[in-house]
Amino acid sequence: MLTVGVLLVIVAAAAALGVWRVLGNAPEEVSLAEAVEDAEMAQDEPATATPSSATAPADGDAASETGGTDGAGTDESDSTASAETGVSDTDEDVAPEIAVTSTAELAGTWAVDAETGEFTLEDATGSFAGFRVDEELASVGAFTAVGRTGDVSGTLEIADEHVTSAEIAVDLTTLQTDDRRRDSAVQRALGTSQHQTATFVLTGELQIEGAVESGEPVSFAAPGDLTVNGITQPVVVDIEAQLVGSVIAVVGSVEITFADFDVTVPQVPVVLSAEDHGIMEFQLLFRRP
């Protein structure tokens, strides 16, 4: 009987240690330094910026625009021009992006690059968004639950040394945490069966004068409308950004109260309690589309 009791204690201790080892390694908060490192690595990768409003034409539409299939309707002058210059369409597609060297060159549309880098909960190296919530876990104690997804899209517009508009969309159905039970609870709490996407829309311009020439990071308090669970609330997001070659690295965070979005704090058996508020955070790499 004593042997069985000792064995149970050992098993319980090992299980608790295993839980702590898994749950104790919550991803760090987003930081501009990490985003800049990812942007530096992205310089050698092909551009994969994907604006949320972009739609690819159907095969039939593409064929009709070129005058048919099997090469019919090809512009002979285009072929001649390519032959004379020695530059093929393929060469143009893989041409490296040119680094921006002045604030004026920032003008135009930039899109979230959701393909560069890799996404894992523990070590995301591209664009991602998610949340952080403080919890109290049985047999573990204080813990910060983190959920993230790499399914992010959107664009920002720059003109006259200002960010004039920005809209970011996040697919909440692909949020991942360290525990599948928590994943299911989060999906129910966020009402993703009816409201799959969360969005942030900038409602005020952000001045970026001198940001490129100085080579230093810039900070903003960005006002906007945040929509979660079909409910829109005004927020002010703390943002840091830095231009790295041909990529704009951006990180941001804002504290939100779940009740403001009709979200009930998700519960799972191991969670004794959880805060009624949390941090929404993101790391985004922007390229020209």
Side-chain angles (χ1 to χ4, degrees):
M1 191 69 177
L2 178 61
T3 302
V4 173
V6 171
L7 180 60
L8 289 176
V9 171
I10 293 174
V11 171
L17 179 60
V19 169
W20 175 257
R21 186 164 54 249
V22 173
L23 299 181
N25 293 325
E28 297 292 332
E29 297 179 8
V30 295
S31 73
L32 185 59
E34 291 289 340
V36 166
E37 287 186 10
D38 294 343
E40 289 172 344
M41 291 189 297
Q43 299 302 308
D44 296 328
E45 299 187 31
T48 50
T50 52
S52 57
S53 58
T55 54
D59 292 341
D61 294 338
S64 64
E65 290 176 1
T66 57
T69 58
D70 298 329
T74 301
D75 190 332
E76 185 176 348
S77 62
D78 290 344
S79 300
T80 302
S82 296
E84 292 177 350
T85 60
V87 178
S88 66
D89 291 339
T90 302
D91 292 332
E92 293 177 353
D93 290 342
V94 298
E97 294 178 276
I98 299 175
V100 177
T101 58
S102 70
T103 305
E105 292 177 2
L106 285 170
T109 300
W110 295 73
V112 172
D113 183 352
E115 300 298 330
T116 295
E118 298 181 356
F119 175 79
T120 65
L121 177 64
E122 297 80 11
D123 186 24
T125 59
S127 298
F128 62 88
F131 66 84
R132 309 180 71 84
V133 181
D134 290 334
E135 297 179 337
E136 188 73 20
L137 303 182
S139 303
V140 174
F143 172 69
T144 299
V146 177
R148 288 178 173 175
T149 175
D151 290 334
V152 187
S153 61
T155 59
L156 61 82
E157 296 284 343
I158 298 177
D160 299 325
E161 300 186 339
H162 287 77
V163 177
T164 57
S165 66
E167 182 169 354
I168 307 300
V170 181
D171 184 351
L172 299 179
T173 64
T174 57
L175 279 171
Q176 299 177 25
T177 71
D178 65 300
D179 192 311
R180 291 184 179 180
R181 294 170 296 176
R182 183 185 281 107
D183 291 351
S184 299
V186 167
Q187 296 296 321
R188 291 192 299 271
L190 293 174
T192 57
S193 60
Q194 293 182 310
H195 306 290
Q196 176 177 338
T197 305
T199 61
F200 172 77
V201 179
L202 186 69
T203 56
E205 294 189 354
L206 307 177
Q207 184 175 340
I208 56 174
E209 182 178 1
V212 176
E213 288 88 342
S214 67
E216 298 293 329
V218 291
S219 301
F220 307 104
D225 288 334
L226 177 65
T227 301
V228 177
N229 195 26
I231 298 174
T232 301
Q233 297 285 358
V235 295
V236 177
V237 182
D238 293 325
I239 290 178
E240 291 182 282
Q242 186 169 339
L243 180 67
V244 184
S246 59
V247 177
I248 301 176
V250 179
V251 296
S253 63
V254 60
E255 183 170 325
I256 61 174
T257 300
F258 299 128
D260 291 343
F261 298 91
D262 197 20
V263 171
T264 302
V265 178
Q267 296 287 339
V268 294
V270 72
V271 178
L272 298 179
S273 64
E275 298 286 353
D276 63 353
H277 57 275
I279 301 294
M280 181 202 76
E281 62 180 2
F282 56 82
Q283 171 180 300
L284 302 176
L285 303 182
F286 285 91
R287 291 182 185 263
R288 295 190 189 277

